[in-house]
Amino acid sequence: MSRPSRTTRVLNAVLAFSVKSQRDPAGSWAKAAAQVEKKAGTQDRPFADDLGRIVEGAAEIPRLSPLGWFLIFNEVQGKYANRLRVNRVLSEHPQVADEPITAPVFVCGMPRTATTLAHRVLAESSDHRGPLAWELAHTALHDPRNARKVVKQLELALSLMELVAPGLQEKHPTYIDRPEESVLFFAHGAHWPLQRGPMPSYSAWLADQDVRSEYEYLKLGLQVLQHGRERKRWVLKYPGHLGDMETIRQVFPDAKFVWTHRDPVTVIGSFASLLETLQVMVRHEADPEVIGRSALDHLVTQVQRGLEMRMSLPPSSIVDVPYHKLSADPFTEVPRLYSAIGATWTTRDQEHLADVIAKPKGTPSHRYDLSRYVDRAEVEAAFAPYNRMLDRLDLRDAAPAVEL
């Protein structure tokens, strides 16, 4: 069971005053957005108004803690500051919008299916580039001196996060100076209620939004990061890309997808355990059964969308990667993956692969109990169509997988 850490309890006491702003989320956000605009010297009111939906939704989260409100509020402020930063770059350097983003690779699939590993081994190529965690949070033209300052600030914030959410690094390791998920750049998405708790008004608003705007914004971010530097093939990763493949091809017509696969029963238990750790960080109490239901419903929807979309996408645009093969024999599977996306596997890649896939020494295994969140039989029934596809394509795990 995930429980609030001692640091979390102390910070909740210290931040108790902040709950006053939670009673007026719209007014509180208007003041905060104005402060961000004043510091940036510019504004983007439509973007700010949409971010206000997150703040209003956060105020609805049951048992939201003072620390939770503080963290969400500050993250939304950061999203707005980064948007204004990107806007300023484009305003001062309009040629940035002409940067070509050629044949990007999107690693997707259900969470906990080795998307991180696939992303890591692809981004390691000297011909490729994955956006680093700090670049997604602070998107600007290349400036080594400013980069060092930003990295130091974000590493301090990550150290605090480890105190607030013990075990999070074991379940989802994050490094400020390594490639990270695209979701760090996105403003909106289902990750907000999944990782924080129920946000009814925001979820209803989100269901009516066109996700294409997020990918058009992502393209702008990549163009900013690429401008003035050697052009390389972008490798991006986020499990949520699975349900957006059709939209991604509209924004990036030559995109390729690396779809990782794993036994859904294993996925749901691991994913729900991660979500519980994240929710306990911002809530006084989180119901594991509610978390399990949210995780199951979300992933079933994502997989169904992915299965439907792959029927209309060119077969060559999707490369299937089974978890069990990648984890059991990476020295065979990784070169095959490179070949499938049209990349060159070099002697250097071969020599460095062991270091790339190695876990830090002493890293404990992620342990979880599926029955705490959802019934195994229900998971198997919900994913029956997906499992049939895995069997047909010989992608299903032959035996229970080991955590990777």
Side-chain angles (χ1 to χ4, degrees):
M1 177 185 293
S2 296
R3 298 180 183 278
S5 68
R6 181 180 179 183
T7 303
T8 297
R9 294 193 294 271
V10 170
L11 289 175
N12 275 325
V14 172
L15 295 169
F17 71 90
S18 70
V19 297
K20 293 181 180 179
S21 63
Q22 187 179 345
R23 300 186 190 120
D24 179 22
S28 299
W29 172 241
K31 294 178 183 177
Q35 292 175 349
V36 174
E37 292 165 353
K38 182 178 180 180
K39 184 175 181 179
T42 184
Q43 64 177 8
D44 187 333
R45 292 312 311 167
F47 196 83
D49 291 344
D50 284 350
L51 287 176
R53 300 282 188 169
I54 302 173
V55 176
E56 292 174 22
E60 302 170 347
I61 297 175
R63 305 278 295 161
L64 181 69
S65 67
L67 175 61
W69 175 251
F70 175 82
L71 290 174
I72 294 172
F73 203 90
N74 276 270
E75 184 174 354
V76 175
Q77 283 183 286
K79 297 288 186 185
Y80 191 31
N82 203 41
R83 172 69 176 210
L84 297 184
R85 190 177 297 115
V86 170
N87 286 354
R88 177 175 289 279
V89 170
L90 292 167
S91 174
E92 296 177 350
H93 307 274
Q95 68 273 24
V96 168
D98 295 326
E99 284 285 340
I101 306 300
T102 306
V105 177
F106 288 80
V107 179
C108 58
M110 288 189 290
R112 327 305 289 170
T113 60
T115 52
T116 297
L117 178 60
H119 186 219
R120 190 188 310 157
V121 298
L122 288 173
E124 180 64 18
S125 168
S126 58
D127 294 329
H128 298 165
R129 182 181 173 195
L132 307 181
W134 73 266
E135 293 177 321
L136 293 166
H138 192 282
T139 311
L141 296 179
H142 184 54
D143 181 344
R145 289 177 299 178
N146 186 51
R148 287 192 291 270
K149 178 181 178 182
V150 172
V151 168
K152 185 175 181 179
Q153 291 174 340
L154 292 177
E155 285 180 339
L156 287 173
L158 181 60
S159 297
L160 175 60
M161 195 67 66
E162 292 172 0
L163 293 174
V164 172
L168 181 57
Q169 279 291 88
E170 299 168 9
K171 300 173 184 178
H172 185 74
T174 299
Y175 304 93
I176 299 302
D177 60 350
R178 294 186 187 179
E180 248 312 332
E181 295 187 352
S182 314
V183 72
L184 291 186
F185 185 76
F186 287 167
H188 298 282
H191 61 281
W192 285 105
L194 278 171
Q195 297 179 6
R196 279 78 176 184
M199 300 167 60
S201 67
Y202 178 71
S203 294
W205 175 83
L206 186 65
D208 291 331
Q209 303 307 301
D210 184 355
V211 73
R212 177 166 180 158
S213 62
E214 290 294 328
Y215 287 99
E216 290 173 338
Y217 179 39
L218 176 61
K219 182 177 180 179
L220 290 176
L222 297 179
Q223 289 172 318
V224 169
L225 294 175
Q226 180 173 284
H227 187 68
R229 307 179 72 177
E230 180 184 359
R231 290 175 182 170
K232 297 187 177 184
R233 188 180 191 181
W234 285 101
V235 181
L236 303 119
K237 169 240 176 177
Y238 173 45
H241 291 322
L242 179 61
D244 298 332
M245 290 190 292
E246 194 171 77
T247 301
I248 291 172
R249 289 279 289 192
Q250 293 171 5
V251 179
F252 304 93
D254 52 358
K256 281 188 176 290
F257 303 97
V258 171
W259 184 345
T260 56
H261 301 280
R262 191 183 187 186
D263 175 22
V265 171
T266 303
V267 168
I268 292 294
S270 181
F271 184 46
S273 174
L274 172 61
L275 293 181
E276 184 176 14
T277 299
L278 290 169
Q279 289 197 21
V280 167
M281 182 171 62
V282 300
R283 301 173 66 189
H284 290 300
E285 185 180 0
D287 186 334
E289 292 186 2
V290 173
I291 290 173
R293 170 56 51 193
S294 298
L296 180 59
D297 290 346
H298 173 73
L299 293 186
V300 167
T301 299
Q302 288 288 298
V303 169
Q304 287 177 339
R305 286 175 56 82
L307 291 175
E308 292 169 1
M309 290 177 186
R310 73 180 289 151
M311 299 298 292
S312 60
L313 292 174
S316 61
S317 68
I318 299 178
V319 180
D320 294 298
V321 178
Y323 177 103
H324 65 287
K325 291 184 179 179
L326 182 60
S327 59
D329 189 8
F331 283 88
T332 296
E333 288 300 307
V334 175
R336 183 193 72 83
L337 174 56
Y338 267 62
S339 176
I341 65 168
T344 301
W345 180 252
T346 67
T347 301
R348 173 190 174 279
D349 296 323
Q350 181 76 14
E351 293 173 346
H352 286 78
L353 181 57
D355 292 332
V356 174
I357 64 177
K359 276 187 175 184
K361 290 184 178 180
T363 302
S365 297
H366 175 193
R367 299 183 180 280
Y368 48 86
D369 179 4
L370 175 65
S371 64
R372 175 177 171 77
Y373 306 103
V374 68
D375 181 71
R376 181 188 183 98
E378 185 177 3
V379 176
E380 292 176 341
F383 284 98
Y386 175 63
N387 283 331
R388 285 195 293 271
M389 185 203 76
L390 296 186
D391 289 337
R392 187 172 66 252
L393 299 178
D394 191 26
L395 299 171
R396 198 167 185 181
D397 294 0
V402 178
E403 284 296 331
L404 185 61

